[in-house]
Amino acid sequence: MATQRQPSTSSNAFSFLSKGWREVRDSADADLRLMRDRANSFKNLATSFDRELENFFNSAPPPFAVPAMRTAGPLPPPAEIDFVKKLQPKLKEIRRAYSSPEFSKKVLEKWRPRATIRIDLSAIRNAIVSEVEEEDEDSDATVGFERGKRGRRLSLKEFWGEWVGEAEGEGSGGGDWEPIRALKSRFKDFEKRSSSSEIFDGFKNSEFLEKVKSSLKSMRWDHQDSKEVPPLDVPELLAYFVKQSGPFLDQLGVRRDICDKIVESLYSKRKNQLLFQSLSGDESSVLENGNINDELDLRIASVLQSTGHRYDGGLWTDRGKPLDNERHVAIVTTASLPWMTGTAVNPLFRAAYLSQSAKQKVTLLVPWLCKSDQELVYPSNLTFSSPEEQEVYIRSWLEERIGFRPDFKISFYPGKFSKARRSIIPAGDTSQFIPSRDADIAILEEPEHLNWYHHGKRWTDKFNHVVGVVHTNYLEYIKREKNGALQAFFVKHINNWVARAYCNKVLRLSAATQDMPKSIICNVHGVNPKFLKIGEKIAAERELGQKAFTKGAYFLGKMVWAKGYKELIDLLAKHKTDLDGFKLDVFGNGEDATEVQSAARRLSLNLNFQRGRDHADDSLHGYKVFINPSISDVLCTATAEALAMGKFVVCADHPSNEFFRSFPNCLTYKTSEDFVAKVKEALENEPHPLTPEQRYQLSWEAATHRFMEYSDLDKILNKEKDGANSSTDKRMMAKSMSLPNLSAAVDGGLAFAHYCLTGNEFLRLCTGAIPGTRDYDKQHCKDLNLLPPQVENPIYGW
């Protein structure tokens, strides 16, 4: 074995050495080639320099003409030409020396690997210096001109200046170069025009200067230029302090109208004084016609502007996010189909109808439930294995009802179902599922629900404008639970807290919801177009003399006590004799179905319970009266659908039904006796056909128009088109730039405090959160193809 290893070892060593030598040789050859190339390039450079010198001598101009005062005789050539001629042989010797083979050999002898060649040009420098010194020291030479009366010889720089000067004195003497003559003539013209102030007079009268003056004038406000702004007094400061403290006082239980009365009483006297003083036209018109809050804001802003103060933002405020030319609207909701609930259906329709406008792109963000939660929430054991599969179901359901293909995006965020709350709770930071490039306008469907346990980026920091839409009267549901009054007290203030911290504006569908900060009441929901078509079909049948309604009364809703079943059973049990023979069909599924049905049987009520179904089902078209005694709804979608189909609706005289009172087929009752009377009236008469105006009020087109108006989206989307030139906009812009907003600072502080509290798992569990919902879990990562929370949001430490 040893004898066999020795030859193989020696051969391996030889191959290794030969391989190393080849690499060294190749590297040396490459360096030699590089050196030859550099030597050739220097040789070419020297040849080119010789060629340029010859061209210079051949094209040299004739000597200048001699003035009359000087002696006649041939004029020697210019000094610098003679200097270059003397320098030329030395340059040739330098070129010959560096391009000779001996130089190459010397370089190769001193060669080292990876060395670089440095050409010594000191010889050229020494030759030039010595030649110039010889010219200065030669007192008998006649190569220089006399300059003035000093009678000394000129150096190279001085000679060049003298040459130019004498050429100028010759005028048309042919020795001056054409570019120099043109440059001199332009300098002379500029000197003449500047001496006569022609240039400056033209600049003063130029159109450019007039435009600058007009733009500067337009940037001023007249009241700042001409009239002095009266200073603030103590009542005004107190009024402004109370006004800014209004949201904080609301948290303490002080009603908003009381704060407004305090502000009005403090500011009213000062307002009357200001009306008689000299204020600008815009301000005086606002003081006469505007509301007290705008008047006070404008008053404070005008005083701050008169002092030169500009407010650039505070501790919690954002500087504003850059906008591109295309606007983006993100709609975030708390439920999704096939769960047939209002927060699943209405945001879907809103996204579809908002996407019809070319002004904005729309994204609908809905919760994704794991399979175990889907089995608890979705009806008929319907489940989905992927978000793409559920998206296909959602789009198919929507297109079947609206009749067109909407252009909007559907995205999913992780969610978990809470059995105790019977609702879906977001897991993790919901805002991260909207890319920053699309973070422009956010619509939070149920903002209090979305933000109870929100631990992530503040919505108003990431988005330019955030609108909350309140769907549910949670306080009414909570009051029905154990210790409901105490729980409702805390939930009310938590709802106010998160609405203030995360929304710029809040829309309440009806007055049945709690009064939240920054809120306004408006019904921004419409009716599925399918129900309007059913109503049109029934109206056409009635015009032909056909009997459209062949059945009596019915009730449809999720079978839980809070959805009106308790009120319904109480009314029917109390007036069993008055409604003798009255039969009511009930359609619904829910967690309390067994209890509701057993209570009806125990009271011997004439109720026919059936499984829940779609309100647009053909089996429900023949019913004439829809009964809805619920007082927990904010705005009952089933009531609007029944009116759209041309039916009678018997409902309670409650703020949730305020929008429907204008329809003649809506019969409201205040007492139980009145309920009996309205039911009999509906059964004995025929409904009124809907007018085109009433039909439009129920449509999603009208609801979208109301939403755009009351949420200020129409102003935001059209701001660049027509909002920049009006005096009112200038005035409001001046107010926003000069007025510090105490309320915004408080909102930022509340958001920061909420972020800190929701980051503690113990506090989350104490307030009823689902364990582990601060971040999404592994199953969500697998279903939605997400990075683990530890990777997405790493925590760095020592």
Side-chain angles (χ1 to χ4, degrees), residues 758-779:
T758 54
N760 187 290
E761 186 67 19
F762 176 74
L763 293 177
R764 293 172 66 93
L765 296 177
C766 291
T767 54
I770 302 175
T773 53
R774 192 182 69 173
D775 294 309
Y776 45 83
D777 56 21
K778 294 182 180 179
Q779 188 61 42

Side-chain angles (χ1 to χ4, degrees), residues 138 167 190 199 268 285 374 428 470 605 620 782 785:
D138 190 2
F190 181 80
I199 295 177
S268 58
S285 62
Q374 293 182 28
V470 180
L605 300 180
L620 301 177
K782 181 179 179 181
N785 297 321

Side-chain angles (χ1 to χ4, degrees), residues 416-425 768 770:
K416 289 187 176 182
F417 181 69
S418 172
K419 296 180 181 179
R421 298 182 182 274
R422 296 176 180 175
S423 59
I424 298 174
I425 303 298
I770 302 175

Side-chain angles (χ1 to χ4, degrees), residues 410-636:
I410 298 179
S411 300
F412 293 84
Y413 69 87
K416 289 187 176 182
F417 181 69
S418 172
K419 296 180 181 179
R421 298 182 182 274
R422 296 176 180 175
S423 59
I424 298 174
I425 303 298
D429 180 11
T430 311
S431 65
Q432 77 179 75
F433 296 94
I434 298 295
S436 297
R437 65 179 180 275
D438 298 337
D440 183 10
I441 298 170
I443 302 173
L444 305 184
E445 310 281 353
E446 292 199 316
E448 71 278 42
H449 185 160
L450 283 170
N451 293 299
W452 279 334
Y453 305 107
H454 175 70
H455 182 71
K457 191 172 182 63
R458 187 184 177 193
W459 294 96
T460 51
D461 286 345
K462 184 169 184 177
F463 292 83
N464 294 294
H465 188 68
V466 181
V467 180
V469 182
V470 180
H471 289 247
T472 309
N473 188 1
Y474 286 105
L475 301 183
E476 185 65 29
Y477 292 135
I478 294 173
K479 289 177 182 178
R480 300 169 184 260
E481 299 177 359
K482 184 180 180 181
N483 299 323
L486 181 61
Q487 293 187 56
F489 172 80
F490 287 109
V491 171
K492 174 186 175 182
H493 291 285
I494 292 174
N495 290 346
N496 289 338
W497 183 354
V498 296
R500 281 201 60 194
Y502 297 113
C503 296
N504 297 117
K505 194 153 193 175
V506 177
L507 301 181
R508 299 159 55 201
L509 297 180
S510 71
T513 59
Q514 72 176 85
D515 187 10
M516 291 186 178
K518 310 175 185 178
S519 67
I520 189 172
I521 298 173
C522 179
N523 175 22
V524 292
H525 286 177
V527 173
N528 186 338
K530 193 171 185 179
F531 294 101
L532 293 172
K533 293 180 180 179
I534 294 172
E536 293 176 359
K537 178 183 176 182
I538 292 175
E541 293 176 355
R542 293 179 60 186
E543 288 181 0
L544 295 175
Q546 301 178 8
K547 189 174 182 180
F549 300 113
T550 57
K551 301 178 183 179
Y554 73 106
F555 175 58
L556 179 142
K558 186 177 180 181
M559 200 168 292
V560 293
W561 285 113
K563 285 292 186 180
Y565 284 90
K566 182 178 183 302
E567 291 82 2
L568 178 63
I569 290 178
D570 291 342
L571 287 170
L572 295 180
K574 185 177 180 179
H575 297 280
K576 186 187 303 184
T577 57
D578 297 331
L579 295 172
D580 188 23
F582 174 69
K583 181 181 178 181
L584 182 67
D585 293 335
V586 179
F587 301 89
N589 303 319
E591 296 85 351
D592 300 333
T594 304
E595 296 181 10
V596 171
Q597 294 177 17
S598 62
R601 286 193 297 267
R602 186 174 63 253
L603 296 172
S604 302
L605 300 180
N606 194 5
L607 297 177
N608 180 25
F609 291 97
Q610 301 185 39
R611 292 186 61 83
R613 62 193 66 181
D614 192 341
H615 205 175
D617 192 83
D618 294 340
S619 61
L620 301 177
H621 294 178
Y623 287 95
K624 184 171 66 171
V625 182
F626 175 72
I627 296 179
N628 182 17
S630 174
I631 57 174
S632 63
D633 289 327
V634 173
L635 187 79
C636 185

Side-chain angles (χ1 to χ4, degrees), residues 118-177:
R118 295 183 180 272
I119 306 300
D120 186 9
L121 300 180
S122 61
I124 299 175
R125 183 193 62 188
N126 296 333
I128 295 174
V129 172
S130 63
E131 192 66 32
V132 172
E133 290 177 352
E134 288 177 4
E135 292 295 330
D136 291 338
E137 294 174 358
D138 190 2
S139 58
D140 297 331
T142 59
V143 296
F145 289 113
E146 292 183 358
R147 186 177 182 181
K149 299 179 181 180
R150 286 177 285 184
R152 68 179 181 86
R153 303 305 188 269
L154 303 178
S155 64
L156 183 62
K157 294 182 180 179
E158 292 174 332
F159 169 76
W160 178 253
E162 184 69 19
W163 183 22
V164 174
E166 290 195 7
E168 179 181 351
E170 291 298 326
S172 59
D176 204 356
W177 290 353

Side-chain angles (χ1 to χ4, degrees), residues 643-708:
L643 289 173
M645 291 188 288
K647 304 176 185 295
F648 272 125
V649 173
V650 178
C651 58
D653 187 4
H654 189 262
S656 61
N657 298 317
E658 182 68 30
F659 178 78
F660 306 123
R661 288 180 183 173
S662 60
F663 293 86
N665 291 336
C666 181
L667 307 177
T668 59
Y669 62 90
K670 295 183 179 180
T671 63
S672 60
E673 291 77 12
D674 197 14
F675 169 76
V676 175
K678 297 299 182 181
V679 170
K680 291 182 178 180
E681 179 184 349
L683 293 174
E684 294 172 358
N685 297 286
E686 290 296 321
H688 300 277
L690 290 177
T691 64
E693 182 181 358
Q694 293 169 349
R695 191 176 293 109
Y696 175 76
Q697 289 180 2
L698 293 171
S699 67
W700 265 105
E701 289 83 0
T704 304
H705 179 76
R706 294 192 297 267
F707 177 82
M708 296 291 292

